Amino acid sequence: SGNWSTGSTWVGGTAPGSTDNAVIQDGHQVTLTAGGSGTTINDLTIESGGIVNAGVRRMTIDGNFIVDGTYTSAFSSGKDLDFFGDTLGGVGTIAINSSNSSFIFGADAEILTGSLITVSGNVSLDNAVTVTNFGSFSATGDIDGQNNSSSVWTNDNGSLVEASALLMNTGILNASAADNTVTYNAQA
């Protein structure tokens, strides 16, 4: 536990760099302290009981993101969480507590089978991004794209997507696979 940028927080005594992989273990809380553009990591795994507290900092994940614990921005002035990896999984919570910020899919990604991801806040798909959902993914805000023709959400067999507000108002929603479920509570 401790600050992200403090070496003693980490096994091995060195804070992870932008091309490293990090694991937040059960019972540990790591707080982002980098200013400006924020913190960048390759793979990030948050184990059950682990917490990443971004505060008012922005984070970028360029590799796999497995969240069995909690990622939280914890403040109404929290920043975006940018995900440029290709695999999202786990049974945890991503809390983006600002109505002006989002969990952003910046690259094509798959949500793993067996995943149960809850996002407290909004979710955004960048231009030319396809998210393929094989698990269960819900958001307390919008799940929306940036482009009408190139932001694509695809629900695969047996998957679930749920938005408490708009669902792909901008972009394409593919939900023709067998036994998939789509729930949303707002219209454009």
Side-chain angles (χ1 to χ4, degrees):
S1 292
N3 292 331
W4 184 279
S5 59
T6 302
S8 61
T9 301
W10 303 96
V11 172
T14 304
S18 62
T19 59
D20 291 329
N21 303 325
V23 175
I24 311 303
Q25 295 177 331
D26 177 22
H28 290 253
Q29 179 170 323
V30 177
T31 302
L32 299 186
T33 53
S37 62
T39 298
T40 300
I41 192 74
N42 185 44
D43 292 349
L44 177 61
T45 299
I46 305 172
E47 294 180 349
S48 178
I51 299 170
V52 171
N53 182 352
V56 294
R57 309 294 192 285
R58 184 178 200 122
M59 182 166 214
T60 301
I61 302 167
D62 288 332
N64 298 329
F65 185 22
I66 305 299
V67 57
D68 287 316
T70 303
Y71 175 96
T72 183
S73 57
F75 294 98
S76 60
S77 58
K79 304 295 185 203
D80 295 329
L81 171 57
D82 298 313
F83 178 58
F84 290 96
D86 61 6
T87 303
L88 174 64
V91 294
T93 300
I94 300 166
I96 308 295
N97 294 309
S98 169
S99 60
N100 297 320
S101 297
S102 297
F103 174 66
I104 300 172
F105 285 96
D108 292 349
E110 291 185 354
I111 299 168
L112 297 174
T113 301
S115 294
L116 180 60
I117 302 291
T118 301
V119 176
S120 295
N122 296 312
V123 177
S124 179
L125 282 67
D126 274 350
N127 295 322
V129 167
T130 297
V131 174
T132 304
N133 180 21
F134 293 96
S136 176
F137 187 94
S138 62
T140 62
D142 297 339
I143 300 174
D144 208 5
Q146 297 296 314
N147 184 285
N148 278 326
S149 61
S150 69
S151 299
V152 180
W153 184 282
T154 299
N155 251 17
D156 204 78
N157 293 338
S159 64
L160 176 139
V161 64
E162 180 176 15
S164 293
L166 294 173
L167 178 59
M168 296 307 291
N169 184 54
T170 303
I172 298 169
L173 172 63
N174 292 324
S176 59
D179 299 322
N180 82 89
T181 302
V182 175
T183 303
Y184 59 98
N185 296 315
Q187 286 184 309

